[in-house]
């Protein structure tokens, strides 16, 4: 119904979006009309019944039963409509259709991992078929995160030690933003992902190919992982220091650590720095890199090393 981005909202591209938007517009318009009515009446009465002279004595005011009943009954009806509408929408948002396609979501500082029923794992890229209900079963490996897709109008906290879920049915093929909307540490704002909505055929093909990553050249896979794994949030490739050292000219350089020791950044040094970030802390930096990259596969590690090697 409402399909295009407006002043208030981004595009609404899920079957749930109209429910959310229509209620939002209802509440906004009712509030605006009441607000305007109150302000206009207030200004009118202030001018019309102002005190004109020192002897001015107002006539006693008789109570109006009709007026009093109406300002009790009308707002009550409006509030009940809003509650009823909101509660139905809430139930719809929370109960996924039984035939939903299920994807497991893991959040960690500071990335999103999506695991498909056939074992394919993607980082920061969620592929879903269009026009089919998709249910995400979510959990966190560390702190509280929150999964938010503005165009689908869904948002749900992702907690450690507990599962939460969210469902949606995308109505339009395309690529849309996923945000983390719960402050979760240094790179919270960099905890971004994409949802790729595609036709069922394209989706099946993509899934069959294991995410299409097997035959990607190492450097290209490395660059992809650099973005997907969230390295990009802390390590620049243009020489700027963000949270961690830049990857520019890193490979082969002499590193000086906080304890005064040094080492040359070769393959083994980089490999260890990814897997055990606390092993060596480079001078001038804080020991803040999460130890969550231990799950990277050998090929992914080689790819990242190849990518870093390329940044000369
Ligand atoms: Cu994860 Cu904010």
């Amino acid at each position: 119904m409402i399909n295009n981005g407006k002043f208030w909202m981004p595009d609404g591209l899920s079957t749930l979006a109209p429910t959310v938007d229509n209620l939002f517009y209802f509440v906004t318009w009712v509030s605006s009309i009441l607000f305007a009515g109150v302000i206009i009446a207030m200004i009118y009465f202030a001018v019309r019944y102002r005190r004109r002279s020192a002897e001015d004595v107002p006539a006693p005011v008789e109570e109006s039963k009709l007026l009093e009943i109406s300002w009790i009954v009308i707002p009550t009806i409006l509030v009940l409509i809003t509650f009823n509408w909101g509660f139905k929408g809430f139930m719809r948002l929370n109960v996924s259709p039984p035939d939903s396609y299920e994807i497991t979501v893991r959040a960690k500082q500071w990335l999103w991992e999506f695991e498909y029923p056939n074992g394919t794992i993607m980082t920061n890229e969620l592929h879903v078929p269009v026009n089919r209900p998709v249910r995400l079963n979510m959990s966190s490996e560390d702190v509280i995160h929150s999964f938010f897709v503005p165009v689908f109008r869904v948002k749900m906290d992702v907690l450690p030690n507990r599962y939460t879920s969210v469902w949606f049915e995308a109505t339009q093929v395309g690529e849309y933003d996923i945000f983390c909307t719960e402050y979760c540490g240094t790179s919270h704002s960099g905890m971004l992902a994409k949802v790729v909505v595609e036709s069922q055929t394209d989706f099946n093909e993509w899934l069959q190919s294991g995410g299409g990553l097997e035959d990607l050249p190492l450097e290209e896979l490395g660059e992809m992982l650099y973005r997907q794994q969230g390295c990009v949030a802390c390590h620049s490739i243009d020489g700027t220091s963000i949270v961690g050292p830049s990857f520019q000219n890193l490979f082969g350089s002499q590193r000086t650590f906080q304890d005064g020791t040094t080492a040359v950044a070769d393959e083994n040094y980089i490999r260890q720095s990814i897997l055990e970030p606390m092993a060596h802390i480079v001078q001038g930096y804080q020991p803040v890199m999460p130890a969550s990259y231990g799950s990277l596969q050998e090929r992914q590690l080689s790819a990242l090393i190849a990518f870093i090697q390329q940044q000369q």
Side-chain angles (χ1 to χ4, degrees):
M1 192 171 155
I2 295 165
N3 211 23
N4 298 308
K6 298 265 158 43
F7 174 70
W8 298 101
M9 296 274 203
D11 290 347
L13 305 177
S14 78
T15 51
L16 291 166
T19 316
V20 175
D21 292 6
N22 291 337
L23 178 55
F24 172 81
Y25 288 118
F26 173 76
V27 171
T28 306
W29 280 112
V30 166
S31 310
S32 308
I33 291 165
L34 287 177
F35 176 78
V38 168
I39 297 297
I40 290 167
M42 190 183 78
I43 292 169
Y44 171 76
F45 289 142
V47 174
R48 174 79 178 72
Y49 299 106
R50 70 185 185 280
R51 199 174 193 205
R52 284 157 209 266
S53 69
E55 294 80 46
D56 206 358
V57 178
V61 179
E62 298 271 324
E63 66 167 5
S64 162
K65 284 267 180 327
L66 184 68
L67 202 58
E68 283 182 17
I69 289 170
S70 66
W71 75 46
I72 291 170
V73 171
I74 295 173
T76 306
I77 292 173
L78 290 175
V79 166
L80 287 176
I81 292 174
T82 309
F83 172 77
N84 184 41
W85 198 338
F87 187 69
K88 278 184 182 157
F90 176 80
M91 292 307 283
R92 229 185 121 205
L93 279 162
N94 274 276
V95 182
S96 56
D99 58 339
S100 301
Y101 183 78
E102 299 204 14
I103 301 169
T104 303
V105 178
R106 275 183 302 271
K108 52 187 171 189
Q109 288 168 322
W110 290 277
L111 58 92
W112 298 98
E113 227 171 56
F114 305 104
E115 185 168 352
Y116 291 80
N118 73 348
T120 299
I121 297 178
M122 290 299 284
T123 315
N124 290 345
E125 199 175 299
L126 171 64
H127 284 245
V128 295
V130 73
N131 296 327
R132 177 158 177 205
V134 173
R135 178 188 156 99
L136 305 179
N137 296 316
M138 311 190 288
S139 62
S140 163
E141 290 193 4
D142 34 52
V143 298
I144 300 178
H145 302 271
S146 183
F147 181 88
F148 180 35
V149 186
V151 293
F152 294 163
R153 306 287 189 273
V154 293
K155 183 193 275 187
M156 179 55 80
D157 277 5
V158 183
L159 312 167
N161 303 321
R162 195 197 296 181
Y163 294 104
T164 54
S165 74
V166 81
W167 82 274
F168 54 82
E169 184 178 331
T171 55
Q172 200 171 305
V173 169
E175 235 183 83
Y176 313 106
D177 293 316
I178 298 172
F179 295 105
C180 177
T181 43
E182 188 74 57
Y183 180 66
C184 55
T186 314
S187 282
H188 156 71
S189 60
M191 196 167 159
L192 307 169
K194 286 266 172 235
V195 52
V196 180
V197 181
E198 47 202 1
S199 70
Q200 186 73 49
T201 331
D202 288 351
F203 175 76
N204 289 345
E205 222 167 80
W206 171 85
L207 196 59
Q208 290 298 315
S209 74
L213 302 178
E214 260 92 25
D215 35 45
L216 210 60
L218 277 186
E219 283 93 355
E220 280 176 42
L221 178 62
E223 176 166 14
M224 201 172 132
L225 290 167
Y226 167 69
R227 293 177 203 295
Q228 290 184 350
Q229 293 285 337
C231 317
V232 59
C234 302
H235 301 279
S236 78
I237 49 174
D238 63 0
T240 11
S241 277
I242 314 172
V243 178
S246 174
F247 285 167
Q248 194 185 45
N249 299 326
L250 171 73
F251 196 85
S253 69
Q254 177 96 4
R255 316 300 289 164
T256 308
F257 306 119
Q258 276 180 355
D259 58 7
T261 58
T262 60
V264 170
D266 58 4
E267 285 91 343
N268 283 315
Y269 166 77
I270 292 171
R271 184 190 161 88
Q272 186 187 33
S273 299
I274 297 173
L275 296 176
E276 306 164 46
M278 295 304 135
H280 298 289
I281 304 302
V282 174
Q283 227 165 39
Y285 295 95
Q286 296 299 311
V288 290
M289 177 158 159
S292 54
Y293 298 103
S295 58
L296 287 174
Q297 294 150 9
E298 279 307 321
R299 184 156 192 271
Q300 294 179 310
L301 286 168
S302 311
L304 277 169
I305 292 168
F307 172 70
I308 291 170
Q309 201 165 356
Q310 210 183 24
Q311 307 308 312
Q312 301 293 337

